[in-house]
Amino acid sequence: MNILTQAFNQVFSNHPYNNELIKQLNDHIAPIGGQNTGIAYAQLCSDMSLSLRSFGRNVLLNMIHDMDEQFRSSAGRMARYYVKNTRERTIMTIFGPITFRRTEYQDRLTRDNYCYVDRKLGIMKRDRYDCNIAALAAEMYASHNSMIKVGEILGQMINGYELDPDNERTAISRQQVFRMVNRIKRMKIAPSMAEETPETLYIMADEKYISLQYRTKEGKEEQPRKKMNKLAVAFSGREQVIKKDGTFQKRWELSGKWIFSYDDGHFWPQLRDDMALRYDEAKIKRIYILGDGASWIRAGAEDLMTADTRAKFALDRFHFGQALTKITKDKEKYQLLFDYALHQDKGSFQALVDSIIEDKPQNRDTIQKNSDYILSQLKGIRTMYQEVKIGCAMEQAISHIMASPFTSVPKAYGRSHLPTYISNRIHQQNGINIRRHYIEALDRGLDGEGTADFTINDLDMSMFDGSDETYRPAKTSRNHRNKSN
């Protein structure tokens, strides 16, 4: 029996709730007597949650104290560090608050302060919550986008199941959630390699304007109160959703989907660099850029075209149909305009538009504006209906990814904080484990701007070990990162 097992058994046997919990369990099992009701069962679960959390705190405390004592008496510590003092510290864990004693040291050479226990547990200076709770806050905010709601959920998790909860007392404050989420400004994570590179790749693109809290001045110019955030969704095709009984639903899903978003710089060159990490570019023969026809979106076809890959822009069917509806609601005229646009017949299209304007001169500006829009997008319309054919779901994507968390409820964001929230949201939508990356980022350390770069692998220096050591290449995960020591 090792030291850890002995400590575990000691904590369990001396646990203050142990005897009471066993008595409650026996009473609930007994066929006669007792209150075998739903409320009695709920009370039992509440007491069990309280007992298990208390047990978890005691195990952590014993582990931390043993950790501190073993390092303090180790030969390596004596050779490198002086003992400075011993202090208590209180932190909040997923089992509740714990107050533990740990030793602080001073480096014999550099005179820098060092606390072995704090470093071992990944606790930063002045932290009130451990890294697990901070990582959960970042992960939850990427989904809920409400710091108040995240604080309430975290408070309930920490306090466990209670039959009579006091949410106002247990909730973590919005300001504390804000500090935890913004502790890491950005996590640069390379896209995972696609299982299969398609010959035809589709990329939907759009932008979303998100309100900012205040205007800022850059030189003599005042910056706007809204920030344009560009988004692209790359996919290899679409698949019809299958029900449990094997029949097909009317709903379709994008296959091989990956989301790209960048908060600064040129959009398409950055996307091209990330595409090289996700796909075998030599296998891609065709790229279709899908969107509403904005100039920056159409520019993507030129930026992504290579000697071996043909790239074209295709206009979203939704915006094409919307523009036709604004010109006329007459079904016959609508169909005629549709056919003229599809067959690139500008003359007939404009002639019919002129006749519609004569009938409704009061709508001249609206009709002419939408007519000009369609005539400027004829190539994209033809490409969509004759080559792409599967349509474009970017309106739904931008609504789900950006609009739902950031603009569905009126609110504004700090200019320096919004990129952090968008970055975490994109990682969450791509299925990246934010919780693990957040904690590993704290272990790795951050640069001067609060960024953790997982695209740069740690160097493997084992080849310089002594002759009795064997060189082994470093293992990297699919998203190009190593776990730090």
Side-chain angles (χ1 to χ4, degrees), residues 267-327:
F267 185 85
W268 294 109
Q270 293 183 82
L271 186 142
R272 185 177 56 216
D273 292 341
D274 279 344
M275 280 178 57
L277 299 175
R278 180 158 174 79
Y279 305 105
D280 183 352
E281 293 186 300
K283 296 181 178 179
I284 300 177
K285 303 302 180 184
R286 294 170 297 277
I287 296 177
Y288 290 108
I289 310 296
L290 318 177
D292 59 8
S295 58
W296 76 268
I297 298 177
R298 285 184 293 174
E302 183 177 349
D303 290 342
L304 299 183
M305 185 180 296
T306 67
D308 300 322
T309 304
R310 179 171 57 91
K312 283 187 176 183
F313 168 75
L315 183 68
D316 181 1
R317 291 179 180 179
F318 169 78
H319 288 91
F320 175 42
Q322 184 183 57
L324 287 177
T325 302
K326 290 180 179 179
I327 294 174

Short mmCIF file of all heavy atoms in Angstrom, two decimals, residues 267-327:
data_model
loop_
_atom_site.label_atom_id
_atom_site.label_comp_id
_atom_site.label_asym_id
_atom_site.label_seq_id
_atom_site.Cartn_x
_atom_site.Cartn_y
_atom_site.Cartn_z
N PHE A 267 -7.61 38.93 -45.18
CA PHE A 267 -8.38 37.73 -44.86
C PHE A 267 -7.95 36.52 -45.69
O PHE A 267 -7.61 35.46 -45.16
CB PHE A 267 -9.87 38.02 -45.08
CG PHE A 267 -10.77 36.89 -44.68
CD1 PHE A 267 -11.17 36.74 -43.37
CD2 PHE A 267 -11.22 35.97 -45.62
CE1 PHE A 267 -12.00 35.70 -43.00
CE2 PHE A 267 -12.05 34.91 -45.26
CZ PHE A 267 -12.44 34.79 -43.94
N TRP A 268 -7.95 36.65 -47.00
CA TRP A 268 -7.73 35.49 -47.86
C TRP A 268 -6.30 34.94 -47.78
O TRP A 268 -6.13 33.71 -47.80
CB TRP A 268 -8.12 35.82 -49.30
CG TRP A 268 -9.59 36.07 -49.45
CD1 TRP A 268 -10.19 37.26 -49.70
CD2 TRP A 268 -10.64 35.10 -49.33
NE1 TRP A 268 -11.55 37.11 -49.74
CE2 TRP A 268 -11.86 35.79 -49.52
CE3 TRP A 268 -10.67 33.74 -49.08
CZ2 TRP A 268 -13.09 35.16 -49.49
CZ3 TRP A 268 -11.91 33.09 -49.04
CH2 TRP A 268 -13.09 33.80 -49.24
N PRO A 269 -5.25 35.76 -47.71
CA PRO A 269 -3.91 35.18 -47.53
C PRO A 269 -3.78 34.36 -46.24
O PRO A 269 -3.12 33.31 -46.24
CB PRO A 269 -3.01 36.42 -47.50
CG PRO A 269 -3.74 37.44 -48.31
CD PRO A 269 -5.18 37.21 -48.01
N GLN A 270 -4.42 34.82 -45.15
CA GLN A 270 -4.38 34.05 -43.92
C GLN A 270 -5.14 32.73 -44.06
O GLN A 270 -4.70 31.68 -43.58
CB GLN A 270 -4.96 34.87 -42.76
CG GLN A 270 -4.13 36.07 -42.38
CD GLN A 270 -4.71 36.80 -41.18
OE1 GLN A 270 -4.50 36.43 -40.03
NE2 GLN A 270 -5.47 37.86 -41.44
N LEU A 271 -6.29 32.80 -44.74
CA LEU A 271 -7.06 31.58 -44.95
C LEU A 271 -6.29 30.59 -45.82
O LEU A 271 -6.32 29.38 -45.59
CB LEU A 271 -8.41 31.93 -45.58
CG LEU A 271 -9.40 30.77 -45.75
CD1 LEU A 271 -10.82 31.24 -45.47
CD2 LEU A 271 -9.33 30.17 -47.15
N ARG A 272 -5.59 31.10 -46.83
CA ARG A 272 -4.81 30.23 -47.71
C ARG A 272 -3.72 29.50 -46.92
O ARG A 272 -3.46 28.33 -47.15
CB ARG A 272 -4.19 31.05 -48.84
CG ARG A 272 -3.46 30.22 -49.88
CD ARG A 272 -2.95 31.11 -51.00
NE ARG A 272 -2.11 32.17 -50.47
CZ ARG A 272 -2.07 33.42 -50.97
NH1 ARG A 272 -2.84 33.74 -51.97
NH2 ARG A 272 -1.28 34.33 -50.45
N ASP A 273 -3.08 30.22 -45.98
CA ASP A 273 -2.05 29.58 -45.15
C ASP A 273 -2.63 28.46 -44.29
O ASP A 273 -2.02 27.39 -44.14
CB ASP A 273 -1.37 30.62 -44.26
CG ASP A 273 -0.53 31.62 -45.05
OD1 ASP A 273 -0.18 31.30 -46.21
OD2 ASP A 273 -0.25 32.72 -44.52
N ASP A 274 -3.82 28.69 -43.72
CA ASP A 274 -4.45 27.66 -42.88
C ASP A 274 -4.97 26.50 -43.73
O ASP A 274 -5.00 25.36 -43.27
CB ASP A 274 -5.59 28.26 -42.07
CG ASP A 274 -5.09 28.98 -40.82
OD1 ASP A 274 -3.92 28.75 -40.44
OD2 ASP A 274 -5.85 29.78 -40.23
N MET A 275 -5.40 26.79 -44.96
CA MET A 275 -5.84 25.71 -45.85
C MET A 275 -4.71 24.73 -46.13
O MET A 275 -4.92 23.53 -46.27
CB MET A 275 -6.36 26.30 -47.17
CG MET A 275 -7.77 26.84 -47.11
SD MET A 275 -8.27 27.55 -48.70
CE MET A 275 -8.03 26.14 -49.79
N ALA A 276 -3.47 25.25 -46.19
CA ALA A 276 -2.32 24.39 -46.44
C ALA A 276 -2.08 23.41 -45.30
O ALA A 276 -1.51 22.34 -45.50
CB ALA A 276 -1.07 25.24 -46.67
N LEU A 277 -2.54 23.78 -44.09
CA LEU A 277 -2.41 22.89 -42.94
C LEU A 277 -3.54 21.87 -42.88
O LEU A 277 -3.38 20.79 -42.31
CB LEU A 277 -2.39 23.71 -41.64
CG LEU A 277 -1.25 24.73 -41.49
CD1 LEU A 277 -1.44 25.54 -40.22
CD2 LEU A 277 0.10 24.01 -41.47
N ARG A 278 -4.69 22.21 -43.45
CA ARG A 278 -5.86 21.34 -43.36
C ARG A 278 -6.00 20.40 -44.55
O ARG A 278 -6.51 19.29 -44.41
CB ARG A 278 -7.13 22.17 -43.20
CG ARG A 278 -8.40 21.34 -43.10
CD ARG A 278 -9.52 22.05 -42.47
NE ARG A 278 -10.76 21.28 -42.51
CZ ARG A 278 -11.06 20.27 -41.68
NH1 ARG A 278 -10.19 19.94 -40.74
NH2 ARG A 278 -12.20 19.63 -41.77
N TYR A 279 -5.57 20.85 -45.74
CA TYR A 279 -5.80 20.06 -46.95
C TYR A 279 -4.48 19.77 -47.67
O TYR A 279 -3.50 20.50 -47.51
CB TYR A 279 -6.73 20.79 -47.91
CG TYR A 279 -8.06 21.19 -47.32
CD1 TYR A 279 -8.32 22.52 -46.98
CD2 TYR A 279 -9.05 20.25 -47.08
CE1 TYR A 279 -9.54 22.90 -46.43
CE2 TYR A 279 -10.27 20.62 -46.54
CZ TYR A 279 -10.51 21.95 -46.22
OH TYR A 279 -11.70 22.32 -45.67
N ASP A 280 -4.51 18.73 -48.47
CA ASP A 280 -3.43 18.46 -49.42
C ASP A 280 -3.77 19.26 -50.67
O ASP A 280 -4.57 18.84 -51.51
CB ASP A 280 -3.35 16.96 -49.73
CG ASP A 280 -2.21 16.62 -50.67
OD1 ASP A 280 -1.56 17.56 -51.19
OD2 ASP A 280 -1.97 15.42 -50.90
N GLU A 281 -3.16 20.45 -50.78
CA GLU A 281 -3.57 21.39 -51.83
C GLU A 281 -3.36 20.84 -53.23
O GLU A 281 -4.01 21.30 -54.18
CB GLU A 281 -2.82 22.70 -51.64
CG GLU A 281 -3.24 23.45 -50.37
CD GLU A 281 -2.60 24.81 -50.28
OE1 GLU A 281 -1.35 24.86 -50.26
OE2 GLU A 281 -3.33 25.80 -50.21
N ALA A 282 -2.46 19.90 -53.39
CA ALA A 282 -2.22 19.33 -54.72
C ALA A 282 -3.43 18.56 -55.24
O ALA A 282 -3.58 18.36 -56.45
CB ALA A 282 -0.99 18.42 -54.68
N LYS A 283 -4.30 18.12 -54.31
CA LYS A 283 -5.48 17.34 -54.71
C LYS A 283 -6.69 18.21 -55.03
O LYS A 283 -7.66 17.73 -55.61
CB LYS A 283 -5.83 16.34 -53.61
CG LYS A 283 -4.77 15.28 -53.35
CD LYS A 283 -5.22 14.32 -52.26
CE LYS A 283 -4.18 13.24 -52.02
NZ LYS A 283 -4.59 12.30 -50.94
N ILE A 284 -6.67 19.48 -54.64
CA ILE A 284 -7.80 20.37 -54.88
C ILE A 284 -7.74 20.90 -56.31
O ILE A 284 -6.79 21.57 -56.70
CB ILE A 284 -7.81 21.55 -53.88
CG1 ILE A 284 -7.90 21.02 -52.45
CG2 ILE A 284 -8.98 22.48 -54.16
CD1 ILE A 284 -7.83 22.11 -51.39
N LYS A 285 -8.77 20.60 -57.09
CA LYS A 285 -8.82 21.03 -58.49
C LYS A 285 -9.71 22.25 -58.70
O LYS A 285 -9.47 23.06 -59.58
CB LYS A 285 -9.33 19.88 -59.38
CG LYS A 285 -8.50 18.60 -59.27
CD LYS A 285 -7.04 18.83 -59.62
CE LYS A 285 -6.24 17.54 -59.49
NZ LYS A 285 -4.79 17.77 -59.73
N ARG A 286 -10.76 22.37 -57.88
CA ARG A 286 -11.72 23.46 -58.04
C ARG A 286 -12.08 24.04 -56.68
O ARG A 286 -12.28 23.30 -55.72
CB ARG A 286 -13.00 22.97 -58.74
CG ARG A 286 -12.81 22.53 -60.18
CD ARG A 286 -14.04 21.84 -60.70
NE ARG A 286 -14.31 20.60 -59.95
CZ ARG A 286 -13.72 19.44 -60.20
NH1 ARG A 286 -12.85 19.33 -61.18
NH2 ARG A 286 -14.02 18.36 -59.48
N ILE A 287 -12.17 25.37 -56.61
CA ILE A 287 -12.63 26.06 -55.40
C ILE A 287 -13.75 27.01 -55.81
O ILE A 287 -13.59 27.80 -56.75
CB ILE A 287 -11.49 26.85 -54.72
CG1 ILE A 287 -10.40 25.90 -54.23
CG2 ILE A 287 -12.04 27.67 -53.55
CD1 ILE A 287 -9.21 26.62 -53.61
N TYR A 288 -14.87 26.91 -55.12
CA TYR A 288 -15.98 27.82 -55.35
C TYR A 288 -16.15 28.72 -54.13
O TYR A 288 -16.33 28.22 -53.00
CB TYR A 288 -17.28 27.06 -55.63
CG TYR A 288 -17.29 26.35 -56.96
CD1 TYR A 288 -17.19 24.96 -57.03
CD2 TYR A 288 -17.39 27.07 -58.14
CE1 TYR A 288 -17.20 24.30 -58.25
CE2 TYR A 288 -17.39 26.41 -59.38
CZ TYR A 288 -17.29 25.04 -59.43
OH TYR A 288 -17.30 24.39 -60.64
N ILE A 289 -16.09 30.03 -54.34
CA ILE A 289 -16.32 31.01 -53.28
C ILE A 289 -17.78 31.42 -53.34
O ILE A 289 -18.23 31.95 -54.37
CB ILE A 289 -15.41 32.24 -53.44
CG1 ILE A 289 -13.95 31.83 -53.65
CG2 ILE A 289 -15.55 33.17 -52.24
CD1 ILE A 289 -13.34 31.12 -52.48
N LEU A 290 -18.52 31.18 -52.28
CA LEU A 290 -19.95 31.46 -52.25
C LEU A 290 -20.24 32.62 -51.30
O LEU A 290 -19.68 32.68 -50.20
CB LEU A 290 -20.72 30.22 -51.78
CG LEU A 290 -20.28 28.86 -52.35
CD1 LEU A 290 -21.10 27.73 -51.73
CD2 LEU A 290 -20.39 28.84 -53.86
N GLY A 291 -21.11 33.53 -51.73
CA GLY A 291 -21.45 34.65 -50.86
C GLY A 291 -22.40 35.61 -51.53
O GLY A 291 -23.01 35.31 -52.56
N ASP A 292 -22.51 36.80 -50.92
CA ASP A 292 -23.51 37.77 -51.39
C ASP A 292 -22.97 38.71 -52.46
O ASP A 292 -23.67 39.64 -52.88
CB ASP A 292 -24.04 38.59 -50.20
CG ASP A 292 -22.93 39.35 -49.47
OD1 ASP A 292 -21.78 39.37 -49.98
OD2 ASP A 292 -23.20 39.91 -48.39
N GLY A 293 -21.74 38.53 -52.90
CA GLY A 293 -21.21 39.33 -54.00
C GLY A 293 -20.43 40.55 -53.57
O GLY A 293 -20.06 41.38 -54.42
N ALA A 294 -20.15 40.71 -52.27
CA ALA A 294 -19.33 41.83 -51.81
C ALA A 294 -17.94 41.74 -52.47
O ALA A 294 -17.45 40.65 -52.76
CB ALA A 294 -19.20 41.80 -50.29
N SER A 295 -17.33 42.89 -52.68
CA SER A 295 -16.06 42.92 -53.42
C SER A 295 -14.97 42.10 -52.73
O SER A 295 -14.18 41.42 -53.40
CB SER A 295 -15.60 44.36 -53.58
OG SER A 295 -15.45 45.00 -52.32
N TRP A 296 -14.93 42.12 -51.37
CA TRP A 296 -13.88 41.37 -50.68
C TRP A 296 -14.10 39.87 -50.81
O TRP A 296 -13.13 39.09 -50.79
CB TRP A 296 -13.80 41.79 -49.21
CG TRP A 296 -14.89 41.26 -48.31
CD1 TRP A 296 -16.07 41.87 -48.02
CD2 TRP A 296 -14.89 40.02 -47.61
NE1 TRP A 296 -16.81 41.09 -47.17
CE2 TRP A 296 -16.11 39.95 -46.90
CE3 TRP A 296 -14.00 38.95 -47.51
CZ2 TRP A 296 -16.45 38.85 -46.10
CZ3 TRP A 296 -14.33 37.87 -46.71
CH2 TRP A 296 -15.55 37.83 -46.01
N ILE A 297 -15.36 39.45 -50.95
CA ILE A 297 -15.64 38.02 -51.11
C ILE A 297 -15.26 37.56 -52.51
O ILE A 297 -14.62 36.51 -52.68
CB ILE A 297 -17.14 37.73 -50.83
CG1 ILE A 297 -17.49 38.09 -49.38
CG2 ILE A 297 -17.47 36.26 -51.10
CD1 ILE A 297 -18.95 37.92 -49.04
N ARG A 298 -15.62 38.35 -53.52
CA ARG A 298 -15.26 37.98 -54.89
C ARG A 298 -13.75 37.96 -55.10
O ARG A 298 -13.23 37.20 -55.91
CB ARG A 298 -15.91 38.96 -55.87
CG ARG A 298 -17.40 38.73 -56.05
CD ARG A 298 -17.97 39.64 -57.10
NE ARG A 298 -17.94 41.05 -56.68
CZ ARG A 298 -18.28 42.07 -57.45
NH1 ARG A 298 -18.67 41.85 -58.69
NH2 ARG A 298 -18.23 43.31 -56.99
N ALA A 299 -13.03 38.78 -54.32
CA ALA A 299 -11.57 38.81 -54.43
C ALA A 299 -10.95 37.48 -54.00
O ALA A 299 -9.81 37.18 -54.38
CB ALA A 299 -11.00 39.94 -53.58
N GLY A 300 -11.68 36.69 -53.22
CA GLY A 300 -11.15 35.42 -52.77
C GLY A 300 -10.86 34.46 -53.91
O GLY A 300 -9.93 33.65 -53.83
N ALA A 301 -11.65 34.53 -54.99
CA ALA A 301 -11.42 33.63 -56.13
C ALA A 301 -10.06 33.88 -56.76
O ALA A 301 -9.35 32.95 -57.14
CB ALA A 301 -12.53 33.82 -57.16
N GLU A 302 -9.68 35.15 -56.84
CA GLU A 302 -8.37 35.48 -57.42
C GLU A 302 -7.24 35.12 -56.47
O GLU A 302 -6.19 34.62 -56.89
CB GLU A 302 -8.32 36.97 -57.75
CG GLU A 302 -7.03 37.41 -58.42
CD GLU A 302 -7.03 38.88 -58.80
OE1 GLU A 302 -8.11 39.50 -58.72
OE2 GLU A 302 -5.95 39.40 -59.15
N ASP A 303 -7.44 35.35 -55.17
CA ASP A 303 -6.38 35.08 -54.19
C ASP A 303 -6.11 33.59 -54.01
O ASP A 303 -4.99 33.20 -53.69
CB ASP A 303 -6.75 35.69 -52.83
CG ASP A 303 -6.68 37.21 -52.85
OD1 ASP A 303 -6.03 37.75 -53.76
OD2 ASP A 303 -7.29 37.85 -51.97
N LEU A 304 -7.13 32.75 -54.19
CA LEU A 304 -6.96 31.32 -53.96
C LEU A 304 -6.66 30.53 -55.22
O LEU A 304 -6.40 29.34 -55.16
CB LEU A 304 -8.23 30.75 -53.30
CG LEU A 304 -8.60 31.32 -51.93
CD1 LEU A 304 -9.83 30.62 -51.37
CD2 LEU A 304 -7.45 31.20 -50.94
N MET A 305 -6.68 31.20 -56.36
CA MET A 305 -6.41 30.50 -57.62
C MET A 305 -4.92 30.22 -57.75
O MET A 305 -4.07 31.04 -57.41
CB MET A 305 -6.89 31.34 -58.80
CG MET A 305 -6.75 30.64 -60.15
SD MET A 305 -7.33 31.69 -61.52
CE MET A 305 -9.08 31.84 -61.12
N THR A 306 -4.59 29.02 -58.21
CA THR A 306 -3.20 28.64 -58.46
C THR A 306 -3.10 28.04 -59.86
O THR A 306 -4.11 27.92 -60.58
CB THR A 306 -2.71 27.63 -57.42
OG1 THR A 306 -3.43 26.39 -57.58
CG2 THR A 306 -2.90 28.15 -56.01
N ALA A 307 -1.90 27.63 -60.22
CA ALA A 307 -1.70 27.03 -61.54
C ALA A 307 -2.45 25.72 -61.68
O ALA A 307 -2.87 25.34 -62.78
CB ALA A 307 -0.20 26.82 -61.78
N ASP A 308 -2.65 25.02 -60.56
CA ASP A 308 -3.32 23.71 -60.60
C ASP A 308 -4.75 23.75 -60.09
O ASP A 308 -5.47 22.75 -60.18
CB ASP A 308 -2.53 22.71 -59.75
CG ASP A 308 -1.11 22.52 -60.25
OD1 ASP A 308 -0.93 22.51 -61.48
OD2 ASP A 308 -0.20 22.40 -59.41
N THR A 309 -5.17 24.88 -59.52
CA THR A 309 -6.50 24.97 -58.92
C THR A 309 -7.28 26.12 -59.53
O THR A 309 -6.82 27.27 -59.53
CB THR A 309 -6.41 25.17 -57.40
OG1 THR A 309 -5.63 24.13 -56.82
CG2 THR A 309 -7.79 25.16 -56.77
N ARG A 310 -8.46 25.82 -60.04
CA ARG A 310 -9.34 26.84 -60.61
C ARG A 310 -10.29 27.34 -59.53
O ARG A 310 -10.89 26.54 -58.80
CB ARG A 310 -10.13 26.24 -61.79
CG ARG A 310 -11.10 27.20 -62.46
CD ARG A 310 -11.66 26.56 -63.73
NE ARG A 310 -12.31 25.29 -63.42
CZ ARG A 310 -13.61 25.17 -63.13
NH1 ARG A 310 -14.38 26.23 -63.09
NH2 ARG A 310 -14.13 23.98 -62.91
N ALA A 311 -10.43 28.65 -59.40
CA ALA A 311 -11.30 29.23 -58.37
C ALA A 311 -12.31 30.17 -59.03
O ALA A 311 -11.96 30.97 -59.89
CB ALA A 311 -10.48 29.99 -57.33
N LYS A 312 -13.58 30.06 -58.62
CA LYS A 312 -14.65 30.90 -59.15
C LYS A 312 -15.54 31.39 -58.02
O LYS A 312 -15.69 30.74 -56.99
CB LYS A 312 -15.51 30.10 -60.14
CG LYS A 312 -14.91 29.90 -61.51
CD LYS A 312 -15.94 29.24 -62.43
CE LYS A 312 -15.43 29.10 -63.84
NZ LYS A 312 -16.46 28.53 -64.73
N PHE A 313 -16.17 32.55 -58.27
CA PHE A 313 -17.17 33.06 -57.33
C PHE A 313 -18.56 32.66 -57.80
O PHE A 313 -18.85 32.69 -59.00
CB PHE A 313 -17.09 34.58 -57.21
CG PHE A 313 -18.26 35.17 -56.49
CD1 PHE A 313 -18.37 35.06 -55.12
CD2 PHE A 313 -19.28 35.79 -57.20
CE1 PHE A 313 -19.49 35.58 -54.45
CE2 PHE A 313 -20.39 36.32 -56.55
CZ PHE A 313 -20.48 36.21 -55.17
N ALA A 314 -19.44 32.30 -56.86
CA ALA A 314 -20.84 31.98 -57.16
C ALA A 314 -21.74 32.75 -56.22
O ALA A 314 -21.52 32.74 -54.99
CB ALA A 314 -21.08 30.47 -57.03
N LEU A 315 -22.73 33.42 -56.75
CA LEU A 315 -23.63 34.24 -55.94
C LEU A 315 -24.62 33.39 -55.16
O LEU A 315 -25.21 32.43 -55.69
CB LEU A 315 -24.40 35.22 -56.82
CG LEU A 315 -25.32 36.19 -56.08
CD1 LEU A 315 -24.52 37.19 -55.26
CD2 LEU A 315 -26.24 36.94 -57.06
N ASP A 316 -24.80 33.74 -53.91
CA ASP A 316 -25.77 33.07 -53.04
C ASP A 316 -27.18 33.18 -53.65
O ASP A 316 -27.61 34.25 -54.05
CB ASP A 316 -25.72 33.74 -51.66
CG ASP A 316 -26.66 33.10 -50.67
OD1 ASP A 316 -27.34 32.12 -51.02
OD2 ASP A 316 -26.71 33.59 -49.53
N ARG A 317 -27.89 32.06 -53.70
CA ARG A 317 -29.25 32.06 -54.25
C ARG A 317 -30.19 32.96 -53.47
O ARG A 317 -31.11 33.57 -54.03
CB ARG A 317 -29.81 30.63 -54.25
CG ARG A 317 -29.14 29.69 -55.23
CD ARG A 317 -29.76 28.31 -55.12
NE ARG A 317 -29.14 27.35 -56.03
CZ ARG A 317 -29.50 26.08 -56.10
NH1 ARG A 317 -30.45 25.61 -55.32
NH2 ARG A 317 -28.89 25.28 -56.96
N PHE A 318 -29.98 33.04 -52.17
CA PHE A 318 -30.86 33.85 -51.32
C PHE A 318 -30.83 35.31 -51.75
O PHE A 318 -31.87 35.95 -51.90
CB PHE A 318 -30.45 33.70 -49.86
CG PHE A 318 -31.12 34.68 -48.94
CD1 PHE A 318 -32.42 34.49 -48.52
CD2 PHE A 318 -30.45 35.83 -48.50
CE1 PHE A 318 -33.05 35.40 -47.68
CE2 PHE A 318 -31.07 36.74 -47.66
CZ PHE A 318 -32.37 36.52 -47.24
N HIS A 319 -29.62 35.86 -51.94
CA HIS A 319 -29.51 37.27 -52.29
C HIS A 319 -30.00 37.54 -53.71
O HIS A 319 -30.56 38.61 -54.00
CB HIS A 319 -28.06 37.73 -52.12
CG HIS A 319 -27.64 37.84 -50.68
ND1 HIS A 319 -27.06 36.79 -50.01
CD2 HIS A 319 -27.74 38.86 -49.80
CE1 HIS A 319 -26.81 37.17 -48.77
NE2 HIS A 319 -27.21 38.42 -48.61
N PHE A 320 -29.81 36.58 -54.60
CA PHE A 320 -30.33 36.71 -55.95
C PHE A 320 -31.86 36.76 -55.93
O PHE A 320 -32.49 37.66 -56.52
CB PHE A 320 -29.84 35.55 -56.81
CG PHE A 320 -30.40 35.52 -58.21
CD1 PHE A 320 -30.54 36.68 -58.95
CD2 PHE A 320 -30.80 34.31 -58.78
CE1 PHE A 320 -31.06 36.65 -60.25
CE2 PHE A 320 -31.32 34.27 -60.06
CZ PHE A 320 -31.45 35.44 -60.80
N GLY A 321 -32.46 35.82 -55.22
CA GLY A 321 -33.92 35.79 -55.13
C GLY A 321 -34.47 37.00 -54.40
O GLY A 321 -35.53 37.54 -54.76
N GLN A 322 -33.77 37.48 -53.39
CA GLN A 322 -34.22 38.65 -52.64
C GLN A 322 -34.22 39.90 -53.53
O GLN A 322 -35.16 40.71 -53.48
CB GLN A 322 -33.29 38.86 -51.44
CG GLN A 322 -33.70 39.99 -50.52
CD GLN A 322 -32.70 40.18 -49.40
OE1 GLN A 322 -31.52 40.41 -49.64
NE2 GLN A 322 -33.15 40.08 -48.16
N ALA A 323 -33.17 40.03 -54.35
CA ALA A 323 -33.11 41.19 -55.25
C ALA A 323 -34.23 41.14 -56.29
O ALA A 323 -34.84 42.17 -56.61
CB ALA A 323 -31.74 41.23 -55.93
N LEU A 324 -34.52 39.95 -56.84
CA LEU A 324 -35.62 39.82 -57.81
C LEU A 324 -36.96 40.19 -57.17
O LEU A 324 -37.80 40.86 -57.80
CB LEU A 324 -35.67 38.39 -58.35
CG LEU A 324 -34.57 37.97 -59.32
CD1 LEU A 324 -34.73 36.50 -59.68
CD2 LEU A 324 -34.60 38.83 -60.59
N THR A 325 -37.16 39.77 -55.93
CA THR A 325 -38.42 40.07 -55.24
C THR A 325 -38.59 41.57 -55.02
O THR A 325 -39.72 42.10 -55.07
CB THR A 325 -38.46 39.33 -53.89
OG1 THR A 325 -38.32 37.93 -54.12
CG2 THR A 325 -39.77 39.59 -53.17
N LYS A 326 -37.49 42.28 -54.78
CA LYS A 326 -37.56 43.73 -54.58
C LYS A 326 -37.83 44.47 -55.88
O LYS A 326 -38.30 45.61 -55.88
CB LYS A 326 -36.27 44.24 -53.94
CG LYS A 326 -36.11 43.80 -52.49
CD LYS A 326 -34.82 44.33 -51.88
CE LYS A 326 -34.69 43.90 -50.44
NZ LYS A 326 -33.43 44.38 -49.82
N ILE A 327 -37.53 43.82 -57.02
CA ILE A 327 -37.84 44.42 -58.31
C ILE A 327 -39.31 44.23 -58.65
O ILE A 327 -40.01 45.16 -59.06
CB ILE A 327 -36.95 43.82 -59.42
CG1 ILE A 327 -35.48 44.20 -59.17
CG2 ILE A 327 -37.39 44.29 -60.80
CD1 ILE A 327 -34.51 43.53 -60.13
#
